[in-house]
């Protein structure tokens, strides 16, 4: 089931404040996608990192009594810590203050400048430092506030260097017409294409009143606009990360909807100008909401994921974010829904079924998975269909649908144990083959579930596989079957995968 190579990127996170559950969400979803592709045998390169330049960083550093570099070092370390805590298996962590990145950005902008796509001009506009973005007056809310953060904007006038974004309108429209899946979901594709159709203003790509940034190579009195500097990270990392050059172009950029224009309009135009191959696909997810509002470091409306990990464990957090918040749409994070998912689905439907199955095999078959007598052809077909549906969901970059498909199988196995009642068959000596069949089907079905669910909950699913007698090591997608050869495996009773919180 190998498909070759798979290069995925998260956005690089802005280090003006500590990470929150919104950052964890993007990183976890990205990690789930790459773990699935590794299961398929793909050669994976997973890139993440931190965005460390710009006025917002300089101001945050000053407020904290640090130099911008000291501030970037401290906050970048927090994002590395977050990656470790949420189980992100990235291959490279890029920092935009890395001198190798700085040099590559300067080189590629020199190419764009030499091609005539950069010119000098004057600009005035309403600027939000929180998002490092200029806004038209009609985009503001409450007269002079940022539509994203709700903070006051300021009027900025500068003589800067501009990128001829307007010149790329037709080429961008052709890109969208030729690749209808360039941006997922389709609603975001339509939104981005509409931005292009309405016409594009040239982009100011430098700042003269800021010193914390990448110096413009032909005009060191100015620094590169932080967004241009940041966007190129996806490409620059493959220039200097060891053994990474062959991965470009990226197969998938993963990001939130608030940075759609930068990635779906500005980024491909910059690459077109530089003569660099475009990424294959962008996938846009919605906001993680708290109380119906987008979480934001600027507004302070955030959920810290770490206490949930301390209370419930990492894998339940990964599961909850995947299952509760439909990928591509906004979703609300709440402690109440987290607890409900944990106890009803993880503890009862999955964990309890695993314990019952392992215990019954221990009690009735001395801990050895009995033979398959071929009486559950319908279940075999359902498992195969579930695997195919999970693959299709991941191909559509829809991890929520993938888990939905897996949970159909979990509930099918729960019905099976109630319908067959192995504890009753065990009392009938003439029903030995029937008991063998149901115990094999439950164990093999749960094994398939654990393999399919492993990218979402690698720790808990590895524990489940160990209890079911599956060999150690990361499971492959090809193992998500009702393989008759699984008979003879020795199960090993284990503590509850998802103990009730009140018992801890």
């Amino acid at each position: 089931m190998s498909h070759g190579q798979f290069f995925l990127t998260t956005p690089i996170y802005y280090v003006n404040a500590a990470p929150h559950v919104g950052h964890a969400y993007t990183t976890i979803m990205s990690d789930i996608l790459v773990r699935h592709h590794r299961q398929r045998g793909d050669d994976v390169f997973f890139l993440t990192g931190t965005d460390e330049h710009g006025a917002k960083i300089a101001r945050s550093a000053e407020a904290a009594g640090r130099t911008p570099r000291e501030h970037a070092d401290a906050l970048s370390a927090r994002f590395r810590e977050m990656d470790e805590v949420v189980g992100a298996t990235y291959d490279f962590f890029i920092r935009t203050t890395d001198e190798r990145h700085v040099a590559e950005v300067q080189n590629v902008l020199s190419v764009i400048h030499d091609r005539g796509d950069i010119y000098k001009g004057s600009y005035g506009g309403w600027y939000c430092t929180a998002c490092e973005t200029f806004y038209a007056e009609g985009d503001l809310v409450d007269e002079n506030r940022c539509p994203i953060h709700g903070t006051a904007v300021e009027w900025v006038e500068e003589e800067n260097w501009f990128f001829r974004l307007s010149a790329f309108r037709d080429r961008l429209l052709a890109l969208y017409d030729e690749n209808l899946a360039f941006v997922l979901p389709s609603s975001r594709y339509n939104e981005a294409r509409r931005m292009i159709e309405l016409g594009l203003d040239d982009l100011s790509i430098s700042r003269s009143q800021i010193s914390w940034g990448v110096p413009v190579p032909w005009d060191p009195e100015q620094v590169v606009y932080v967004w241009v500097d940041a966007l190129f990270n996806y490409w620059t990392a493959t220039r200097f990360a060891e053994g990474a050059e062959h991965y470009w172009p990226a197969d998938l950029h993963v990001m939130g909807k608030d940075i759609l224009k930068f990635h779906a309009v500005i980024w491909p135009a910059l690459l077109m100008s530089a003569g660099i191959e475009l990424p294959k696909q962008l996938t846009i997810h919605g906001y993680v909401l708290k109380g119906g509002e987008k979480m934001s470091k600027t507004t302070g409306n955030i959920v810290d994921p770490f206490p949930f990990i301390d209370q419930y464990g990492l894998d339940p957090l990964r599961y909850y974010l995947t299952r509760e918040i439909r990928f591509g749409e906004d979703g609300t994070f709440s402690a109440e829904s987290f607890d409900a998912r944990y106890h009803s689905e993880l503890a009862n439907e999955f964990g309890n079924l695993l314990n019952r199955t392992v215990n019954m095999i221990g009690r009735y078959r001395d801990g050895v998975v009995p033979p398959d007598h071929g009486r559950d052809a319908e279940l075999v077909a359902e498992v195969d269909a579930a695997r195919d549906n999970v693959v299709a969901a991941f191909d559509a970059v829809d991890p929520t649908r993938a888990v939905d498909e897996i949970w159909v199988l979990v509930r099918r196995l729960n019905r099976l144990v109630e319908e067959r009642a192995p504890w009753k068959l065990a009392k009938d000596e003439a029903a030995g083959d029937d008991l063998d069949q149901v115990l094999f089907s439950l164990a093999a079905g749960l094994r398939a579930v654990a393999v399919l669910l492993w990218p979402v909950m690698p720790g808990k699913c590895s524990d489940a596989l160990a209890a079911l007698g599956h060999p150690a090591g990361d499971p492959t997608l090809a193992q998500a079957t009702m393989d008759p050869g699984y008979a003879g495996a020795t199960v090993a009773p284990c503590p509850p995968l998802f103990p009730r919180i009140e018992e801890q």
Side-chain angles (χ1 to χ4, degrees):
M1 293 186 180
S2 173
H3 290 262
Q5 70 179 32
F6 184 70
F7 173 18
L8 178 145
T9 75
T10 71
I12 52 173
Y13 301 116
Y14 208 40
V15 295
N16 64 303
H20 57 67
V21 78
H23 303 107
Y25 176 75
T26 306
T27 300
I28 288 170
M29 294 303 105
S30 299
D31 185 68
I32 289 169
L33 291 167
V34 299
R35 284 180 185 264
H36 170 79
H37 278 272
R38 291 192 188 109
Q39 278 194 310
R40 291 162 71 157
D42 291 348
D43 175 16
V44 169
F45 186 61
F46 179 13
L47 176 67
T48 191
T50 45
D51 178 6
E52 303 179 13
H53 288 132
K56 192 173 181 181
I57 303 299
R59 293 182 185 182
S60 296
E62 183 179 5
R66 299 166 170 158
T67 67
R69 181 65 197 224
E70 289 170 342
H71 188 71
D73 288 346
L75 270 297
S76 182
R78 291 290 300 277
F79 279 91
R80 281 183 180 266
E81 177 189 358
M82 179 198 74
D83 288 339
E84 181 178 350
V85 170
V86 303
T89 54
Y90 63 84
D91 296 288
F92 193 75
F93 188 102
I94 189 170
R95 299 181 60 186
T96 56
T97 51
D98 189 315
E99 289 302 320
R100 298 171 296 179
H101 167 77
V102 169
E104 291 292 350
V105 169
Q106 290 178 318
N107 289 340
V108 74
L109 286 179
S110 294
V111 170
I112 296 173
H113 176 262
D114 292 346
R115 290 182 173 178
D117 287 331
I118 294 176
Y119 64 93
K120 199 166 193 179
S122 297
Y123 187 80
W126 293 106
Y127 192 72
C128 173
T129 304
C131 26
E132 301 278 11
T133 304
F134 281 102
Y135 286 101
E137 191 164 342
D139 294 330
L140 302 177
V141 296
D142 297 331
E143 296 185 356
N144 70 333
R145 294 190 174 275
C146 167
I148 301 296
H149 296 97
T151 51
V153 295
E154 55 186 316
W155 183 263
V156 175
E157 292 187 22
E158 293 184 342
E159 186 177 54
N160 296 329
W161 292 96
F162 285 77
F163 172 61
R164 298 184 194 277
L165 181 62
S166 60
F168 288 84
R169 177 180 180 275
D170 290 345
R171 289 180 64 182
L172 288 169
L173 288 175
L175 164 68
Y176 275 72
D177 291 342
E178 292 166 5
N179 185 356
L180 300 179
F182 181 61
V183 177
L184 297 176
S186 59
S187 60
R188 300 302 170 194
Y189 168 95
N190 294 333
E191 182 181 347
R193 195 183 190 287
R194 184 63 175 162
M195 292 176 188
I196 302 166
E197 284 180 337
L198 292 174
L200 301 171
D201 295 327
D202 289 349
L203 176 71
S204 173
I205 64 161
S206 71
R207 298 290 181 267
S208 62
Q209 300 177 26
I210 302 170
S211 59
W212 182 240
V214 176
V216 174
W218 60 88
D219 184 359
E221 296 301 312
Q222 300 208 27
V223 299
V224 176
Y225 175 35
V226 62
W227 263 107
V228 174
D229 162 18
L231 285 168
F232 274 106
N233 92 89
Y234 307 123
W235 181 77
T236 65
T238 64
R239 303 300 97 187
F240 58 81
E242 185 177 354
E245 188 168 354
H246 72 279
Y247 286 106
W248 190 264
D251 291 276
L252 187 66
H253 290 322
V254 180
M255 72 206 68
K257 65 182 182 181
D258 52 338
I259 53 178
L260 173 66
K261 182 176 181 179
F262 291 104
H263 287 82
V265 179
I266 296 170
W267 175 225
L270 288 167
L271 292 173
M272 288 173 179
S273 177
I276 298 172
E277 192 173 358
L278 303 188
K280 297 177 183 178
Q281 196 169 54
L282 287 65
T283 188
I284 317 298
H285 65 71
Y287 290 147
V288 179
L289 306 175
K290 178 186 177 185
E293 297 180 353
K294 175 183 180 288
M295 293 184 198
S296 166
K297 293 176 289 186
T298 302
T299 63
N301 177 35
I302 63 172
V303 168
D304 182 350
F306 301 118
F308 286 88
I309 295 173
D310 292 340
Q311 184 176 14
Y312 294 90
L314 169 59
D315 280 352
L317 174 69
R318 290 170 62 104
Y319 174 84
Y320 172 78
L321 290 173
T322 312
R323 183 96 158 124
E324 178 77 11
I325 300 173
R326 184 151 299 279
F327 193 74
E329 302 175 7
D330 293 346
T332 299
F333 186 107
S334 76
E336 294 77 13
S337 62
F338 193 120
D339 188 77
R341 292 265 188 203
Y342 178 88
H343 285 105
S344 68
E345 295 180 356
L346 294 180
N348 289 343
E349 294 179 347
F350 183 30
N352 186 48
L353 178 63
L354 174 70
N355 284 336
R356 292 176 74 186
T357 298
V358 169
N359 289 337
M360 286 188 293
I361 292 173
R363 183 180 305 119
Y364 304 137
R365 291 297 181 262
D366 297 323
V368 177
V369 177
D372 175 17
H373 295 294
R375 298 178 181 178
D376 274 332
E378 183 176 337
L379 182 61
V380 171
E382 290 177 55
V383 169
D384 289 344
R387 184 185 63 252
D388 292 344
N389 290 341
V390 166
V391 170
F394 276 112
D395 283 344
V397 197
D398 192 346
T400 302
R401 180 158 63 89
V403 175
D404 290 347
E405 296 290 350
I406 296 167
W407 226 253
V408 170
L409 188 56
V410 170
R411 288 172 174 164
R412 172 70 177 89
L413 294 171
N414 274 282
R415 290 197 307 273
L416 180 69
V417 76
E418 296 304 324
E419 291 166 357
R420 302 277 184 87
W423 52 91
K424 293 181 180 179
L425 295 175
K427 298 176 181 178
D428 183 357
E429 292 185 4
D433 287 353
D434 291 336
L435 180 60
D436 284 346
Q437 185 65 63
V438 67
L439 293 178
F440 172 85
S441 294
L442 288 170
L446 277 167
R447 174 175 171 264
V449 164
V451 170
L452 293 173
L453 198 57
W454 182 86
V456 180
M457 298 195 297
K460 292 296 186 181
C461 288
S462 292
D463 291 344
L465 288 168
L468 292 165
H470 185 79
D474 295 348
T476 67
L477 189 62
Q479 293 170 325
T481 67
M482 298 283 287
D483 178 11
Y486 169 55
T490 301
V491 302
C494 64
L497 279 185
F498 306 98
R500 292 192 172 277
I501 297 304
E502 60 267 27
E503 295 175 355
Q504 291 186 333

